């Protein structure tokens, strides 16, 4: 396989890109929680350092919330004035409070 064929095979493999997307979204989630004390998809989008397929952002934010055992504390509109889904409400997650 030539170098060019190898590059083409890598660029056509969705698993490679989805792993990079997941890592970028998870890091943005961590940064958002550190800055705001809560997680909302708009906080994540503003912190992404690379292009991520839009359908993967929501899927990975939900996966992160489940893995981190976050709980929904409310809902807020999705985005700014230019967002097509600006009036659609999205969940806001926070760390589960532990009672002892």
């Amino acid at each position: 396989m030539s170098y060019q064929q190898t590059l083409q095979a890598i660029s056509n493999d969705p698993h490679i890109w989805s792993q990079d997307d997941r890592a970028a979204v998870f890091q943005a989630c961590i940064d958002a929680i550190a800055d705001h004390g809560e997680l909302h998809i708009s906080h994540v989008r503003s912190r992404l350092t690379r292009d991520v397929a839009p359908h993967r952002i929501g899927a990975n934010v939900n996966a992160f919330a489940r893995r981190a055992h976050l709980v929904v504390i409310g809902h807020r509109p999705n985005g700014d004035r230019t967002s097509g889904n600006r009036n659609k409400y999205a969940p806001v997650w926070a760390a589960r409070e532990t009672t002892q």
Side-chain angles (χ1 to χ4, degrees):
M1 185 180 280
S2 72
Y3 179 72
Q4 204 57 27
Q5 289 171 322
T6 302
L7 288 178
Q8 187 65 35
I10 290 171
S11 69
N12 289 335
D13 185 354
H15 297 294
I16 292 171
W17 300 113
S18 66
Q19 290 171 357
D20 290 345
D21 287 350
R22 184 179 305 111
V25 172
F26 277 25
Q27 185 59 52
C29 288
I30 292 166
D31 295 343
I33 291 172
D35 291 346
H36 295 282
E38 62 186 26
L39 179 63
H40 186 264
I41 196 163
S42 64
H43 298 153
V44 173
R45 286 189 193 110
S46 66
R47 285 169 177 72
L48 288 173
T49 57
R50 59 185 290 277
D51 287 335
V52 176
H55 66 279
R56 290 190 176 142
I57 297 172
N60 284 307
V61 167
N62 282 305
F64 179 86
R66 281 191 311 272
R67 287 182 183 180
H69 303 289
L70 302 180
V71 293
V72 174
I73 60 169
H75 291 80
R76 274 203 299 265
N78 245 339
D80 59 20
R81 289 180 221 135
T82 60
S83 170
N85 286 329
R86 65 185 165 270
N87 294 324
K88 180 180 176 186
Y89 279 70
V92 179
W93 291 279
R96 183 183 318 245
E97 290 187 29
T98 57
T99 57
Q100 294 180 352

